[in-house]
Amino acid sequence: MKNIGYRLLKKWIKTGLYFYYGKIQVSGLENVPKDKPVLFLPNHQSALLDVLLIGVNCNRKPFFLTRSDVFKKPTLKKVFHLPADDSHL
């Protein structure tokens, strides 16, 4: 139950992306190992949307690298530290 906030936020973002893009097709996910670390490196001008698309479709809890001032904002700090139970992703 501790991950309900994470799952709700993930569903909310996924729904918003669906309304923005219409249809989202994910391919090659079976090639991503589930028991090893993976780096996803989106290289596109729309950096925020790329990160959100990866975050809601990669079936694991992502960790993000960004400017340090982003983590100082109280609301975002809470979002970034939401616990996720990997068995439910």
Side-chain angles (χ1 to χ4, degrees):
M1 273 307 204
K2 66 179 182 175
N3 63 353
I4 189 107
Y6 178 80
R7 291 192 308 181
L8 286 173
L9 180 63
K10 188 173 176 178
K11 287 287 185 190
W12 183 69
I13 291 172
K14 196 168 194 169
T15 302
L17 289 170
Y18 174 78
F19 284 119
Y20 185 78
Y21 285 110
K23 181 180 179 184
I24 299 171
Q25 182 177 353
V26 178
S27 61
L29 199 56
E30 67 279 358
N31 298 318
V32 178
K34 295 181 182 186
D35 59 342
K36 298 178 183 175
V38 177
L39 289 175
F40 295 105
L41 305 168
N43 185 18
H44 192 264
Q45 291 175 343
S46 175
L48 176 63
L49 290 177
D50 293 346
V51 169
L52 293 176
L53 285 165
I54 291 170
V56 299
N57 291 302
C58 72
N59 295 332
R60 34 169 90 190
K61 184 180 182 203
F63 294 89
F64 301 102
L65 180 64
T66 187
R67 300 181 325 260
S68 64
D69 65 317
V70 172
F71 296 100
K72 293 178 183 174
K73 297 176 183 177
T75 305
L76 290 177
K77 189 174 183 177
K78 287 179 186 176
V79 169
F80 289 137
H81 288 93
L82 285 172
D85 180 8
D86 292 336
S87 65
H88 293 96
L89 297 178

